[in-house]
Amino acid sequence: MAFDVETVRKDFPILSREVHGVPLVYLDSANSAQKPQVVIDAEADLYANHYANVARAVHTLGSEVTHAYEGARDKVAAFLNAPSRDEIIFTRNITEALNLLAYSLSNASTTIGADRFRIGPGDEIVVTEMEHHSNIVPWQLLAQRTGATFRWIPIDDEGRLVESAIDEVINERTKVVSFVYQSNALGTINPVRRIVERARAVGAISIVDAAQAAPHLPLDVQDLGADFVAFTGHKLYGPTGVGVLWGRYDLLAQLPPFLGGGEMIETVDMSGSTFAAPPHRFEAGTPMIAQAVALGTAVDYVTAIGMHEIREHEKALTAYALDGLQSIDGLRIIGPATPVDRGATISFTLPGIHPHDVAQLLDEEGIAVRAGHHCARPVCVRYGIPATTRASFGVYTTTDEIDALVRGVDKVKEMFTR
Amino acid sequence: MAFDVETVRKDFPILSREVHGVPLVYLDSANSAQKPQVVIDAEADLYANHYANVARAVHTLGSEVTHAYEGARDKVAAFLNAPSRDEIIFTRNITEALNLLAYSLSNASTTIGADRFRIGPGDEIVVTEMEHHSNIVPWQLLAQRTGATFRWIPIDDEGRLVESAIDEVINERTKVVSFVYQSNALGTINPVRRIVERARAVGAISIVDAAQAAPHLPLDVQDLGADFVAFTGHKLYGPTGVGVLWGRYDLLAQLPPFLGGGEMIETVDMSGSTFAAPPHRFEAGTPMIAQAVALGTAVDYVTAIGMHEIREHEKALTAYALDGLQSIDGLRIIGPATPVDRGATISFTLPGIHPHDVAQLLDEEGIAVRAGHHCARPVCVRYGIPATTRASFGVYTTTDEIDALVRGVDKVKEMFTR
Amino acid sequence: MYQEIILDHYKHPQHRGLPDAFDAEVHHVNPTCGDEVTVRVKLADGTIADLGWDGEGCSISQASTSVMSGLVIGKQIDDAMALQDKFLALMQSRGNAELSEADEDELDDAIAFEGVSKYPARIKCALLGWMAMKSAVAEAGWGTSADNGTAKAGETV
Amino acid sequence: MYQEIILDHYKHPQHRGLPDAFDAEVHHVNPTCGDEVTVRVKLADGTIADLGWDGEGCSISQASTSVMSGLVIGKQIDDAMALQDKFLALMQSRGNAELSEADEDELDDAIAFEGVSKYPARIKCALLGWMAMKSAVAEAGWGTSADNGTAKAGETV
Ligand SMILES: Cc1ncc(COP(=O)(O)O)c(C=O)c1O
Ligand SMILES: Cc1ncc(COP(=O)(O)O)c(C=O)c1O
């Protein structure tokens, strides 16, 4: 299928909206992506025609909804090229996926037979300086619970990991390495295989935050080689309230449970309980049924367009936008300034103008961008700035919209210097 | 507004469905309730017209969606008669709400300033024998993490708590009392104030599982007097993927965080992080935005009908169904056999016929009931049965449907004895 | 789906009862619904020489175990295992099995359970006796002991 | 919403600078966007005799602090607190404030921030200077010390 952005745009009802009397230019997809009509309809159709609770029911609706829910698991497994559907765990979002791991690891301390996952004083947990808060705080809290040490790989002036630090920070004391595939604040695409290999060499568990990779790059968990990979549905044109944790089955099979409750058990007795096999062990309570089903539809949607086509489209947009933005005098790109190993998310600053003001004035022109630390405050601290303005692109973004952005930023500059 | 079940039924698109060529008779609302069109539309409308991520954005869509999300919090606060909107935490389901408390309590052990919540060996955690697995396993796991003792209030032959045991099981060693308002397996409505008062008298935290109460009874957290009350959206005619934890603000303000990530922080630094005030401290990552908004719509929906009207409607149905079912020779009600202090959920067994067979044969007649241990296996163990068949009613249930159920059960009996 | 075959096997189970001479006995439980089955097998000359069972539970689990016994007794173990695989595939078919005529012949009465495959909560019931049989045969020393017959597939439907 | 008033105050802030004579100094930060403001106050005879500030951040936070200083200097403390309450209510109005003419007169240039109330992420910016002023006045010994002026309302919009 030839990629045609105008055809794609028709699938997204919100793109025909106006804001302040002008057509919406939505450049905040890294924050959350808009939803195609098929995804919206998937949830609505399930509720209107096939709804009941999953797994437990023996009636027809229960059977239909369970097949829809488990069918979504099959779709996600195929999307990630997972060796087994049983390696796909539905979570609320990627934040929960990462916390699930952090808690299951500390639960290993009080779970018989989970010795290989135990973490304690002297052990080290490694992230990078460019992580989203959702990949920082769970590990800081894990360190607090276990007495382990929290460490990180620093970033350089261009927004890349300091290559020479990787082998030093990840060492024999390292038990966990959790890092972002594509940075939401900088756009940087990290050398996943390089880091995973180092983690494996020292015997550490490797976890990839693919929140910003899943919507933009072909993802193949077998190719990446990591132990765990997670992403979040709402950034992949799916609904809110659903995310995915993929993990190697042999690890999941040994990992202690996280949340306790219905569906994750094998048998419950007042004197003690035993737990189901993965993935159900990690899906306590009634799941986000309609949301998982609609995420399956979102996966179908991007797969039909083609992840390679999306990547090429966005690569072109990124090059175009980097050129356009860098033509503005004084504008500073925070993150890689060339299109190499970077994604379609561009942070920048303007001298003397707070990013909040930039974003708000762009909003007056119908242009939605984000301003702030993008839940990656350490990145701002690293570059000595309070915040950045960030434009991020998706499958529906056009070069016209980037032109509008560049014009808009020019106008903001003018207002502030007038 | 006069309550008219036929008018109500028109609001639920799935009720016009056929199953095996006959009209659907949905008697599995305690498992999950069906959704009125307004709830389905609420999610769809948000995605099609006002969608972006919440809280972080400074653009128009971000402002619209944040007001919708926070507006849902206001609605839920009013629904529960909560003293403050900041006491309403959105979770994935009630299972997560209960686990949130269990983890925040064990996190108190490693959090400075959270001494009042610490639990350890010698302390006791109390539930009842009629709990849902989601209110058993989190506390068994908490006991495992902390070394505290897990205890329970037993139930009697009629399916009620053994009154004389309450004061003995809840004693000076008790730190937490978590119990169900209305049992999903038995239909029993428990004496909430009685138990809460005993918990308060011994200085224990009291937690009410209102999963089966919220859809059926007027809920007033101030009147109940408990410290925490939780419910789940999908049983209240809301979407899947969203639940609610209400807690007294002074407790929430001191409770350590559970999940770490975006939105729940005050400031993040590689050397340590501080956390936002409630409710945001307990809402890590991108929330189930559309689902919370649609839950707000569901709350509006039941409020417009009137929780008292719903309660009266269901009381009448329950009396009618108890009469009808007990006219079947050999049928045994598991739980209170009279309509006093019980809700619209009726479990029963038939001699020599497995509940799975009953449910499956009823399905052939278009009747959806549940069979199994209803995620309350200890109840089945208590009565020495492998499972029960359970019919449960909602705002849209009619006496005709109950007649169909009674006829259907009769027919099943016949098939097996022929 | 409640075809006469199932109700018939339920009311008149075949090979019910535990033989005194046996090489292995296993007891399997489906924790979600409390169905239980105990299976004893005797192997001889690469065949399942004898099999008897006892159990409790729904018509699906009991009838399926009855059908299974009738089919496997006297079969070559390899053939019995192949048949077990076929039945497993039938149960995972979600009501869309594409069976050859030879398959149908071989599965015989077990075809009656095809409709069960549409009901995720009941697939385990139908598989219970078959899984127990497979376990018992393994226990009795046949094939690789790595394959311990836990109902992995049934667990994750 | 970027009315001339806001940009004007941003470019030409009033009472910017920290006076040497003061009863209390506070420093408030909005962690979500890094806006900062330091406020010094001097109280006398139940009035805010002097107030000066320094800060960094977006036009909303800086202009709002500038407008605030112009409005409260010389006011009775009670009146300044009442005005602070009015401004808080304006910021929580989600763009639907119903102001009397008297309110409008009193809020004066601060009315320019009404549009900000529609943007949850920016309400804190507009409140930053006002909250700091309230804190500083409390620190200087006015009223109950329980009310320590943390931006509770702003935190939960
Ligand atoms: C009494 C009770 N508590 C807890 C739950 C768990 O609800 P959820 O699965 O939505 O978390 C249920 C329903 O399954 C219930 O009936
Ligand atoms: C790189 C990265 N990781 C994690 C997250 C957290 O995602 P969510 O809020 O959906 O859990 C985000 C998005 O906010 C992100 O960009």
Side-chain angles (χ1 to χ4, degrees):
Chain A
M1 185 173 103
F3 182 86
D4 175 36
V5 68
E6 289 307 327
T7 311
V8 166
R9 289 178 71 81
K10 294 204 180 74
D11 297 332
F12 291 80
I14 208 170
L15 295 183
S16 51
R17 230 199 93 149
E18 298 205 330
V19 163
H20 298 303
V22 289
L24 170 66
V25 174
Y26 188 74
L27 302 180
D28 197 17
S29 291
N31 196 355
S32 197
Q34 297 299 344
K35 319 302 172 203
Q37 191 65 47
V38 286
V39 166
I40 302 175
D41 290 346
E43 272 201 64
D45 173 60
L46 191 85
Y47 289 137
N49 299 303
H50 310 283
Y51 183 73
N53 210 329
V54 291
R56 319 165 175 186
V58 296
H59 49 65
T60 299
L61 292 177
S63 147
E64 290 175 5
V65 72
T66 304
H67 285 142
Y69 178 70
E70 295 299 335
R73 201 187 304 279
D74 291 325
K75 290 177 183 185
V76 171
F79 179 68
L80 296 177
N81 193 27
S84 158
R85 67 186 307 283
D86 294 335
E87 297 177 338
I88 304 299
I89 297 161
F90 287 117
T91 61
R92 175 172 62 224
N93 49 26
I94 187 174
T95 300
E96 194 203 5
L98 296 165
N99 279 276
L100 184 164
L101 291 172
Y103 275 107
S104 288
L105 288 172
S106 58
N107 287 348
S109 306
T110 50
T111 305
I112 294 160
D115 311 51
R116 71 169 284 189
F117 295 115
R118 286 191 189 164
I119 292 181
D123 293 334
E124 295 180 358
I125 303 162
V126 169
V127 301
T128 82
E129 199 177 2
M130 66 168 86
E131 298 307 319
H132 188 280
H133 294 165
S134 292
N135 201 25
I136 296 176
V137 184
W139 307 114
Q140 290 180 331
L141 292 175
L142 174 62
Q144 181 184 308
R145 287 197 298 280
T146 58
T149 303
F150 174 80
R151 298 193 59 185
W152 59 92
I153 302 167
I155 54 181
D156 68 16
D157 289 345
E158 213 217 344
R160 303 209 178 267
L161 295 179
V162 176
E163 155 73 24
S164 61
I166 295 175
D167 289 346
E168 182 218 313
V169 178
I170 305 175
N171 58 49
E172 325 69 53
R173 292 183 302 277
T174 308
K175 285 294 171 79
V176 179
V177 180
S178 187
F179 65 101
V180 71
Y181 192 158
Q182 176 177 319
S183 156
N184 71 309
L186 299 165
T188 315
I189 295 177
N190 285 316
V192 174
R193 279 170 217 75
R194 161 83 175 88
I195 300 168
V196 164
E197 266 157 36
R198 177 63 185 160
R200 168 140 356 93
V202 301
I205 289 171
S206 55
I207 303 165
V208 176
D209 170 350
Q212 299 289 345
H216 304 299
L217 307 170
L219 259 190
D220 180 332
V221 295
Q222 299 191 52
D223 185 45
L224 292 177
D227 294 320
F228 298 94
V229 176
F231 71 90
T232 201
H234 66 96
K235 294 188 207 272
L236 187 65
Y237 311 102
T240 54
V242 63
V244 168
L245 173 63
W246 168 87
R248 276 176 37 208
Y249 193 85
D250 60 324
L251 293 175
L252 290 177
Q254 293 176 57
L255 206 59
F258 167 42
L259 303 183
E263 303 312 322
M264 55 71 74
I265 54 99
E266 184 181 63
T267 187
V268 170
D269 198 278
M270 293 313 267
S271 63
S273 302
T274 57
F275 306 112
H280 299 295
R281 184 188 308 162
F282 301 102
E283 295 184 355
T286 302
M288 49 310 274
I289 305 171
Q291 294 72 41
V293 170
L295 177 59
T297 306
V299 161
D300 284 345
Y301 180 79
V302 293
T303 304
I305 294 176
M307 287 311 300
H308 283 99
E309 282 70 12
I310 293 175
R311 171 73 179 131
E312 289 311 310
H313 170 63
E314 292 179 354
K315 237 181 181 165
L317 289 175
T318 306
Y320 189 84
L322 283 170
D323 277 358
L325 287 168
Q326 289 182 104
S327 74
I328 297 169
D329 204 42
L331 184 143
R332 174 182 168 207
I333 302 284
I334 306 296
T338 63
V340 181
D341 285 343
R342 66 128 53 240
T345 294
I346 306 179
S347 276
F348 59 88
T349 58
L350 287 170
I353 314 181
H354 193 284
H356 271 176
D357 291 329
V358 177
Q360 195 111 39
L361 286 165
L362 288 175
D363 182 59
E364 306 268 316
E365 313 285 319
I367 303 168
V369 297
R370 187 168 169 195
H373 50 48
H374 317 298
C375 294
R377 191 175 165 275
V379 167
C380 289
V381 171
R382 165 69 177 77
Y383 297 110
I385 50 180
T388 76
T389 304
R390 183 187 75 182
S392 55
F393 316 137
V395 65
Y396 37 61
T397 307
T398 66
T399 50
D400 283 355
E401 292 183 313
I402 292 171
D403 291 341
L405 170 69
V406 174
R407 271 197 313 276
V409 173
D410 257 332
K411 192 164 159 191
V412 172
K413 257 190 66 179
E414 206 178 287
M415 281 190 73
F416 269 80
T417 47
R418 201 166 41 190
Chain B
M1 183 175 103
F3 182 85
D4 175 37
V5 68
E6 288 307 327
T7 312
V8 166
R9 288 178 72 82
K10 295 206 178 74
D11 297 331
F12 292 79
I14 207 170
L15 296 183
S16 52
R17 230 199 93 147
E18 298 203 333
V19 164
H20 298 304
V22 288
L24 169 67
V25 173
Y26 188 75
L27 302 180
D28 197 17
S29 292
N31 197 354
S32 196
Q34 297 298 344
K35 321 302 174 202
Q37 191 65 47
V38 286
V39 166
I40 301 175
D41 290 346
E43 271 199 65
D45 172 61
L46 191 85
Y47 289 137
N49 298 302
H50 310 284
Y51 183 72
N53 209 329
V54 291
R56 320 166 173 184
V58 297
H59 49 65
T60 299
L61 292 177
S63 147
E64 291 175 4
V65 73
T66 303
H67 285 142
Y69 179 69
E70 295 299 334
R73 200 188 303 278
D74 291 325
K75 289 177 184 184
V76 171
F79 179 68
L80 297 177
N81 193 29
S84 158
R85 69 185 307 281
D86 294 335
E87 298 176 339
I88 305 297
I89 296 161
F90 287 118
T91 61
R92 174 171 63 225
N93 49 25
I94 188 174
T95 300
E96 194 203 4
L98 296 165
N99 280 278
L100 183 164
L101 291 173
Y103 275 107
S104 288
L105 289 172
S106 58
N107 287 347
S109 307
T110 50
T111 305
I112 293 161
D115 311 51
R116 70 168 287 187
F117 296 115
R118 287 191 189 164
I119 291 180
D123 294 333
E124 295 179 359
I125 302 163
V126 170
V127 301
T128 82
E129 199 177 0
M130 68 168 83
E131 298 308 318
H132 188 278
H133 295 165
S134 292
N135 200 26
I136 296 176
V137 184
W139 307 114
Q140 290 179 331
L141 293 175
L142 173 63
Q144 180 183 310
R145 287 196 298 278
T146 59
T149 303
F150 174 78
R151 298 193 60 186
W152 59 92
I153 302 168
I155 53 181
D156 66 18
D157 289 344
E158 214 218 343
R160 302 208 179 269
L161 295 179
V162 176
E163 154 74 25
S164 61
I166 296 175
D167 288 347
E168 182 219 312
V169 178
I170 305 176
N171 58 48
E172 325 70 54
R173 293 183 301 278
T174 309
K175 284 294 170 78
V176 179
V177 180
S178 188
F179 66 100
V180 70
Y181 192 158
Q182 177 177 319
S183 157
N184 71 309
L186 300 165
T188 315
I189 295 178
N190 284 316
V192 175
R193 278 169 218 78
R194 161 84 176 84
I195 300 168
V196 164
E197 265 157 37
R198 177 63 186 161
R200 169 143 352 95
V202 302
I205 289 172
S206 57
I207 302 165
V208 176
D209 170 349
Q212 298 289 346
H216 304 301
L217 307 169
L219 259 192
D220 180 332
V221 295
Q222 300 191 52
D223 185 45
L224 292 177
D227 294 322
F228 298 94
V229 176
F231 71 90
T232 200
H234 67 95
K235 295 189 206 271
L236 186 65
Y237 311 103
T240 54
V242 62
V244 169
L245 173 65
W246 168 86
R248 277 176 36 208
Y249 193 84
D250 60 326
L251 293 175
L252 291 177
Q254 293 175 56
L255 206 60
F258 166 44
L259 304 182
E263 303 312 322
M264 56 71 74
I265 54 99
E266 185 182 63
T267 188
V268 171
D269 198 277
M270 293 315 266
S271 62
S273 302
T274 57
F275 306 112
H280 299 294
R281 183 189 309 162
F282 301 102
E283 295 184 354
T286 301
M288 49 310 276
I289 304 171
Q291 294 72 42
V293 170
L295 177 59
T297 305
V299 161
D300 284 346
Y301 180 78
V302 293
T303 304
I305 294 176
M307 288 310 300
H308 282 99
E309 283 70 14
I310 293 175
R311 171 73 179 132
E312 289 311 312
H313 170 64
E314 293 179 353
K315 238 182 181 162
L317 289 175
T318 306
Y320 189 85
L322 283 170
D323 276 359
L325 288 169
Q326 289 182 103
S327 74
I328 297 170
D329 205 42
L331 184 144
R332 173 181 169 206
I333 303 285
I334 305 295
T338 63
V340 181
D341 286 343
R342 66 126 55 239
T345 294
I346 306 180
S347 275
F348 60 88
T349 58
L350 287 170
I353 313 180
H354 194 285
H356 271 176
D357 291 328
V358 177
Q360 195 112 38
L361 286 166
L362 288 175
D363 183 58
E364 305 269 315
E365 313 284 319
I367 304 169
V369 297
R370 188 169 168 195
H373 51 47
H374 317 297
C375 295
R377 189 175 167 275
V379 167
C380 288
V381 172
R382 165 69 177 77
Y383 297 110
I385 50 180
T388 75
T389 304
R390 183 186 74 182
S392 56
F393 315 137
V395 64
Y396 36 62
T397 307
T398 66
T399 51
D400 283 354
E401 292 183 313
I402 292 171
D403 291 342
L405 170 70
V406 173
R407 270 197 314 275
V409 173
D410 258 332
K411 193 166 160 189
V412 172
K413 258 190 66 177
E414 207 177 289
M415 282 191 72
F416 269 81
T417 48
R418 202 168 37 191
Chain C
M1 60 175 285
Y2 272 77
Q3 298 176 21
E4 288 306 311
I5 299 176
I6 296 180
L7 267 183
D8 207 55
H9 273 277
Y10 179 60
K11 291 181 193 166
H12 311 288
Q14 296 177 12
H15 307 285
R16 187 169 181 144
L18 298 172
D20 290 335
F22 61 98
D23 296 328
E25 171 184 304
V26 302
H27 177 72
H28 276 205
V29 178
N30 178 348
T32 58
C33 60
D35 288 350
E36 306 190 15
V37 69
T38 304
V39 168
R40 287 187 180 173
V41 289
K42 182 150 193 62
L43 310 186
D45 305 328
T47 69
I48 297 180
D50 193 19
L51 181 152
W53 62 279
D54 197 6
E56 230 182 298
C58 66
S59 63
I60 304 280
S61 65
Q62 305 303 302
S64 177
T65 307
S66 167
V67 169
M68 177 276 297
S69 354
L71 287 172
V72 303
I73 293 176
K75 265 214 168 58
Q76 289 291 328
I77 295 175
D78 287 336
D79 294 346
M81 290 300 126
L83 190 61
Q84 200 269 354
D85 276 349
K86 280 211 177 100
F87 187 72
L88 182 59
L90 182 72
M91 285 301 102
Q92 293 171 335
S93 70
R94 300 187 177 182
N96 303 317
E98 288 174 15
L99 298 171
S100 68
E101 239 172 85
D103 289 341
E104 292 196 13
D105 279 356
E106 227 191 314
L107 284 164
D108 198 42
D109 273 7
I111 293 281
F113 296 88
E114 182 176 359
V116 175
S117 69
K118 276 186 264 176
Y119 296 83
R122 308 218 59 192
I123 296 173
K124 277 195 218 182
C125 306
L127 288 173
L128 189 67
W130 289 85
M131 292 297 185
M133 178 274 290
K134 189 175 173 184
S135 272
V137 168
E139 199 102 318
W142 178 83
T144 72
S145 60
D147 185 337
N148 64 1
T150 47
K152 173 79 177 21
E155 261 169 31
T156 55
V157 284
Chain D
M1 60 176 284
Y2 272 76
Q3 298 177 21
E4 288 306 314
I5 298 175
I6 297 181
L7 268 183
D8 206 56
H9 273 277
Y10 179 61
K11 292 180 192 164
H12 313 288
Q14 296 176 13
H15 306 285
R16 185 167 184 148
L18 298 171
D20 290 335
F22 61 98
D23 297 327
E25 172 184 304
V26 302
H27 176 71
H28 276 206
V29 177
N30 177 348
T32 57
C33 60
D35 289 349
E36 307 191 15
V37 68
T38 304
V39 168
R40 288 186 181 174
V41 290
K42 183 154 191 58
L43 310 185
D45 306 329
T47 69
I48 298 180
D50 194 18
L51 181 153
W53 61 278
D54 199 3
E56 232 182 294
C58 67
S59 63
I60 304 281
S61 66
Q62 306 301 301
S64 177
T65 307
S66 167
V67 169
M68 178 276 296
S69 353
L71 286 173
V72 303
I73 293 175
K75 265 214 171 54
Q76 288 292 325
I77 296 175
D78 287 336
D79 294 346
M81 291 301 126
L83 191 62
Q84 200 268 353
D85 277 349
K86 279 210 176 98
F87 187 72
L88 182 59
L90 182 72
M91 285 301 100
Q92 293 171 335
S93 70
R94 300 186 176 182
N96 302 317
E98 288 174 14
L99 297 171
S100 67
E101 239 173 84
D103 288 342
E104 292 196 12
D105 280 357
E106 230 192 311
L107 284 165
D108 197 44
D109 272 8
I111 294 281
F113 296 88
E114 183 177 358
V116 175
S117 69
K118 276 185 265 175
Y119 295 83
R122 309 218 59 191
I123 296 174
K124 278 196 215 180
C125 304
L127 287 173
L128 189 68
W130 289 85
M131 291 297 183
M133 179 275 290
K134 189 176 171 184
S135 272
V137 168
E139 197 104 315
W142 177 84
T144 72
S145 59
D147 186 335
N148 65 0
T150 46
K152 172 81 174 25
E155 262 168 32
T156 57
V157 283

